[in-house]
Amino acid sequence: MKKRYVQVGLGGRSGFFWRPIVSTYKETSELVAFCDVNQTRMDYANSVLEKEYNHAPVPTYSIDRFDDMVREQKADVVLVTSVDRTHHKYIIRAMELGCDVVTEKPMTTTAEKCQEILDAQKRTGRNVRVSFNYRYNPLHTKCREVIENGDIGQVFSVHFEWLLDTSHGADYFRRWHRDKRNSGGLLVHKSTHHFDLVNFWIASQPKTVFAFGDLNFYGRENAENRGVTKFYNRSTGNPNAEGDPFALDLTNYDVNESLYLKAEHEDGYIRDQSVFGDGISIEDTMGVLVKYKNGAMMTYSLNAYMPYEGYRVAFNGSKGRMELTVIDKPVYNEDGVMDSKSTEKSLRVFPMFGTAYDVEVEEGKGGHGGGDPVIQNDLFGAPTEDRFHRAANHVDGAMSILTGIAANKSIATGMPVEVDSLVRF
């Protein structure tokens, strides 16, 4: 029998979930309804269903009718892809209504909301999956395999550097993400991927977190200090935005125009805000130090205004060192959402007493380094047994965001934070 899926939140990332359901996995899965604050966005998704997949439009429900949708459509699973700060509401209510949940990352944005999810899961016994597609990237899975095999011995330290460029990184400062109340900041919204990877790679959980962070590049004051004199609230159709490499014209891409420009009359959401405007409460420069329960430590940095996109990870162990390097260029998926395509990648092991060698990794196809199709099969298809246990549950979702939540608290207080003090499992 097919599993019946409903989805709440129809922004740019939502197609990652509903598109494979109505195409590759239509024999095992069925999309039966959409729910959103904005009817225009739901109508657009239904138009894509008809034009691209020859699929009949599905019923649409306003946010206040979420319960009606779940009950009337006899949903088995709720897909949660709404604004981050609302994830907990739909995750919890879906479980209370007898459904399992698949949520995008981050699972939620604060320790209090995380506790509510953990309590609801314990109370209902339902399953929560967090869609950490980076675990399924062949390069990242290979890192876990090399460590599991003991090739570099016990991992004592990890150095993790992530660079967001002036295309991808800037985009967080145009959108709702720029308000930390919505996203938890980049240390929650973006870094949840990275913190989860480290938990996954070294098979441990964070114990103590200390962090610094600041808004150094984006924001009006920073731009003024660099001599900028022309400002604007939004870029589309604004003469002051002409020639600005940070400006986004929503009319240049049909998906952006349909999902956002034509929809803003309903909810007032402006997708093309200036990255050098007022009201930005998230950081663009972050450094984090983490001590793990198995004794390992990590130094981590995230910068969101770099001249190129990519990341470097070094693992230092009792038998040697492993280095992962990926340099990306931004590309756009079928929903007009920015993804990336690797232009340079390597995985190299340096034995303590031996010759360094490159680790061969099968080339992945699809978004996020080939991880997207694999996790979509794991979620909606017929996955085989996975020796690496890449499927992430509510505990994995919690431990990834708690590193970022602890880092935010450390930035605010100037003190280290014990992760176990944030929630009770």
Side-chain angles (χ1 to χ4, degrees), residues 171-403:
D171 212 34
Y172 295 108
F173 296 83
R174 300 186 187 104
R175 300 181 284 173
W176 54 262
H177 307 72
R178 63 197 262 147
D179 186 340
K180 189 172 280 193
R181 294 171 299 179
N182 286 332
S183 65
L186 290 179
L187 285 171
V188 173
H189 175 83
K190 181 64 179 175
S191 300
T192 183
H193 264 319
H194 315 151
F195 298 146
D196 174 70
L197 279 175
V198 178
N199 297 345
F200 171 68
W201 282 329
I202 68 174
S204 190
Q205 297 176 341
K207 181 178 183 293
T208 307
V209 177
F210 182 75
F212 289 112
D214 211 340
L215 181 67
N216 290 323
F217 183 77
Y218 300 108
R220 179 156 184 153
E221 184 178 4
N222 292 322
E224 288 174 342
N225 291 339
R226 292 192 297 272
V228 176
T229 58
K230 294 174 66 176
F231 292 93
Y232 53 89
N233 290 325
R234 68 173 310 168
S235 52
T236 301
N238 194 315
N240 276 4
E242 292 180 7
D244 181 2
F246 291 93
L248 173 68
D249 188 340
L250 293 176
T251 64
N252 284 345
Y253 203 86
D254 177 66
V255 174
N256 279 339
E257 186 171 17
S258 298
L259 275 180
Y260 302 113
L261 189 62
K262 293 179 179 179
E264 63 188 37
H265 66 282
E266 289 193 49
D267 55 18
Y269 174 52
I270 306 299
R271 173 66 175 80
D272 58 336
Q273 297 176 80
S274 169
V275 301
F276 301 117
D278 289 319
I280 297 174
S281 57
I282 65 174
E283 300 83 9
D284 57 24
T285 310
M286 292 141 278
V288 183
L289 182 63
V290 183
K291 184 74 171 182
Y292 291 87
K293 292 180 179 178
N294 68 355
M297 65 181 72
M298 175 180 67
T299 51
Y300 172 85
S301 69
L302 175 64
N303 295 277
Y305 44 87
M306 295 294 96
Y308 68 92
E309 182 110 349
Y311 53 103
R312 296 180 178 86
V313 189
F315 305 84
N316 301 305
S318 59
K319 294 182 180 179
R321 174 181 170 95
M322 178 168 61
E323 296 179 356
L324 168 64
T325 300
V326 178
I327 306 300
D328 289 331
K329 66 176 180 180
V331 296
Y332 291 86
N333 66 19
E334 56 197 347
D335 289 305
V337 176
M338 192 176 301
D339 203 335
S340 60
K341 183 176 182 180
S342 297
T343 58
E344 174 189 337
K345 57 184 176 181
S346 64
L347 184 61
R348 191 164 176 80
V349 172
F350 299 81
M352 189 171 288
F353 302 106
T355 303
Y357 59 91
D358 292 317
V359 179
E360 295 298 323
V361 180
E362 183 179 347
E363 185 72 21
K365 295 181 179 180
H368 292 90
D372 287 359
V374 186
I375 191 175
Q376 286 168 342
N377 180 65
D378 201 13
L379 291 171
F380 308 122
T384 57
E385 185 176 351
D386 181 6
R387 59 167 284 203
F388 300 109
H389 305 290
R390 290 173 291 187
N393 62 16
H394 60 286
V395 176
D396 300 311
M399 296 316 300
S400 69
I401 57 172
L402 287 173
T403 306

